[in-house]
Structures are given as structure tokens and as C-alpha cells.
Amino acid sequence: MMEQGDSMDSRAVQPHGGDLGTMAALFPDAPRPWVDLSTGINPWPYPLPALAPRLWTCLPSAGDEAALKQAAMTAYGVADPETILAAPGSQVLISTVPFLRPAGADVAILGPTYGEHAPAWARAGHRVRMTADLPDPAGPLPDVLLLVNPNNPDGRTHDPARLLPLLEEIARRGGWMLVDEAFCDLRPDLSLASHAGRQGLLVLRSFGKFYGLGGLRLGFLLAPPGIVRAMGGRLGPWAVAGPALMVGASALADQAWQEATRRNLARAMSRTLDLYRTAGVEVMGGTDLYTLVRSANDRDLYRDLGSAGLLARSFSDRPGLLRLGLAPDSVTFERLGIILST
């Protein structure tokens, strides 16, 4: 086993999705418990309601599916039930949507961004390229324009007033605009969800991040009815588990919790940014759930955090950059402050 003192580029070690077991093996002397700051998931989750035993023992019912869809339609401002589909996590949708379009499309991805999109489109046989800026509606346009809003990991945002005219032109040419709104619960004003059903528009919504329940595996596709039906055919019946249907319906209908959570996350992030400023850490961007920071003076901050039992998200193509979520409690916050200040 490699010891902590051995030569190792820890930036090459990037457990995806919070693999604390791997990190514990890499840093056996790190203090316990390990804390996962890599995922950008709300550390203060929605309180789970009591679940009826039938949700575990029976197949999901049509009534439970309808209740979730109605709650999601209300939460996202969707008018037509034919334009929304629940799925077992937005990652499943990211992996499957590319196969709904014939292979060979020119796919432009606004980046740098979430790293699962490009491989998914490449696997489906499309030509994938990265672009730094939105295209000019009057100029050459891709068959598919993909963007994340707010962007992961730097928090870059795009005004719907600019996106909608671009969508209109892309759709007129037979193309798609795919908008991943995984973190848009933080910024409902940025969402295109209320435009669900418009030609060429596909929107992905993630449930687990804002509601702090990533293990529930719940997400939504908002798209024209034909695309929704095609995706539903690929997912098949009972795609979302009964417990996820019930918890999702409860949380999506709880507007008071949502509003209070936005305020609480904003306060927590403000305190976190103060910590970074005090410690001299350069903040490159983020949202109220995560911050993109740069290590100073060639410091291997990923390794230093790992030695303190804290897992950050590193990027093999962008050495020195780390994404850090919110500390879940005062003990972790103090631990983070100590390691940043040393």
C-alpha cells in the first residue's frame, strides 16, 4: 500500500461521486469520519416522510406516478403533462438522450462543464466539440447545443432572454438545445422549464442535489411530447421506485422548505466565502452549493484536504482547481479552516 509520504500525484486520483472507501485507503492516517465535500449535494437534506410498507413491497402504482408528476409540474412551472418524464436520476437521462437522435450530429458543448455529457454523446456516435461561448444565432449553428445552467463547476449562468432567441433559430434548423438544470433549484429565475414542449428544447432537472437526497436517484426530462415518449419507451415501466415517487412528490410540493433552504444555503455559502478570503484561497466561481477554488503556490490542496479526511473534487484536465461543497457542521467547517490556513 502506498504511504502518504510516497511520491504520488494525488490530482490523478479522482473518486467520482464520493468514493470515501478509496480515499480512506489512500490516506489511512486521515482523521475520521471522512467528509465528502466533492458532490455539491445539499448537506442538510429534505426530511424524509414516513413511508408506507407497500412502497417497498409493491410495484409503483399509477396514482403514485401521477402524484409525482403533478408535484414536479407545479414546482417547475410545466403546463402540459405530456412534456415531462420522471427517471431514476438525471445521470440516466444524460446517458440515454444522445441515442434519441440519429448518430452523426454535430454536438457543441459549452464548457468546461460536467464531464459526463461529452462521453455520452460520443458513445452514441455523434461528433462532439467543446465551445467557450454561445453561438451567434445568425451564424453557423450545431445540430445540438448543450449547456449547463448554472454551470458545474464554475457557476457560470445564462440569461433565458438570451437563450430563447437562440433556441428558436436552432429549432428552426431542426436542432436541439439541451439545458442541464441540475442546480437550477438554487436559481429558478434561470430555468427554461416553463417552456417545456417548445420545439427543439430539452431540459434536464436533478432532484437529489438541492434536496440533499442523491441516493434517491430521481430526475426529470422536460421536452416535446414525441421525445418524452421515446425516452419513456427506453426507460420502460416502473422506472422510478415507489419510495422515490413518494419522497419526490412530498419534497417538490413543499414550497416553504424550498424557500427556507435557498436562504439557508445562501447564508452558509456567504460564511464559506468569508473563510476562503481569510485563508487566501482564490475563488474562481460557484453556486450556493459548491465553490470552484484554485490552489495557491503550486500547493497540492487535494492531498492536504485528503490528509485531513476531506474529499474534494479535482479535475485531471485542470490541475490546481478544486470544487468544494458546503461543510455539513461546525466541526467540519473548523477542520476545513485549519487545513486552508496552514
Side-chain angles (χ1 to χ4, degrees):
M1 177 182 294
M2 180 177 291
E3 297 297 330
Q4 283 182 261
D6 292 344
S7 176
M8 177 188 73
D9 183 1
S10 63
R11 292 172 298 189
V13 181
Q14 301 168 52
H16 187 59
D19 188 350
L20 296 180
T22 297
M23 294 301 292
L26 286 169
F27 299 96
D29 298 326
R32 301 303 195 261
W34 270 89
V35 180
D36 185 4
L37 300 178
S38 72
T39 63
I41 293 175
N42 183 355
W44 305 290
Y46 183 78
L48 292 173
L51 299 178
R54 69 169 181 83
L55 295 173
W56 302 100
T57 60
C58 301
L59 289 171
S61 72
D64 291 339
E65 292 176 347
L68 174 65
K69 177 178 283 191
Q70 185 57 59
M73 289 174 61
T74 301
Y76 300 146
V78 176
D80 184 354
E82 298 300 314
T83 64
I84 183 169
L85 177 73
S90 59
Q91 183 58 52
V92 168
L93 297 170
I94 289 171
S95 299
T96 308
V97 163
F99 291 94
L100 300 182
R101 193 170 179 101
D106 172 31
V107 180
I109 299 179
L110 200 61
T113 192
Y114 181 54
E116 294 297 329
H117 285 291
W121 285 91
R123 284 193 299 269
H126 301 287
R127 303 186 308 275
V128 180
R129 57 187 173 89
M130 305 302 292
T131 181
D133 297 300
L134 292 173
D136 182 347
L141 293 174
D143 299 316
V144 178
L145 175 65
L146 192 156
L147 59 122
V148 180
N149 194 28
N151 190 44
N152 175 11
D154 61 12
R156 180 182 182 186
T157 61
H158 303 279
D159 189 339
R162 185 181 180 193
L163 294 178
L164 289 173
L166 182 56
L167 165 66
E168 184 175 356
E169 186 58 29
I170 289 175
R172 189 185 69 79
R173 304 185 194 186
W176 290 356
M177 177 186 287
L178 174 58
V179 186
D180 181 346
E181 296 186 348
F183 292 95
C184 221
D185 292 284
L186 297 167
R187 291 285 308 276
D189 59 302
L190 297 175
S191 179
L192 293 181
S194 63
H195 297 274
R198 286 188 59 164
Q199 181 182 354
L201 176 63
L202 290 76
V203 176
L204 304 181
R205 295 296 297 238
S206 173
F207 174 84
K209 296 175 177 63
F210 177 73
Y211 293 93
L213 297 171
L216 199 70
R217 310 312 305 136
L218 180 61
F220 297 89
L221 170 65
L222 286 59
I227 295 176
V228 166
R229 288 192 295 270
M231 177 61 73
R234 285 184 172 269
L235 294 181
W238 312 300
V240 179
L245 293 172
M246 182 63 68
V247 174
S250 177
L252 287 164
D254 196 338
Q255 187 173 7
W257 185 90
Q258 296 161 24
E259 293 174 352
T261 294
R262 290 188 190 100
R263 293 192 297 269
N264 292 338
L265 291 174
R267 284 193 294 267
M269 182 52 69
S270 177
R271 182 171 177 244
T272 301
L273 292 175
D274 286 342
L275 174 65
Y276 293 152
R277 282 190 287 268
T278 300
V281 174
E282 184 179 6
V283 175
M284 308 302 294
T287 69
D288 283 343
L289 276 174
Y290 56 83
T291 309
L292 185 68
V293 303
R294 184 189 299 278
S295 302
N297 303 320
D298 294 325
R299 178 185 183 184
D300 190 348
L301 186 56
Y302 182 86
R303 173 193 280 273
D304 291 345
L305 290 168
S307 299
L310 303 173
L311 173 57
R313 180 73 171 98
S314 61
F315 306 92
S316 59
D317 58 337
R318 285 164 285 170
L321 292 182
L322 295 177
R323 189 189 67 188
L324 290 165
L326 293 169
D329 50 51
S330 59
V331 173
T332 304
F333 190 84
E334 291 174 6
R335 192 195 302 183
L336 178 62
I338 291 171
I339 200 65
L340 291 178
S341 300
T342 55

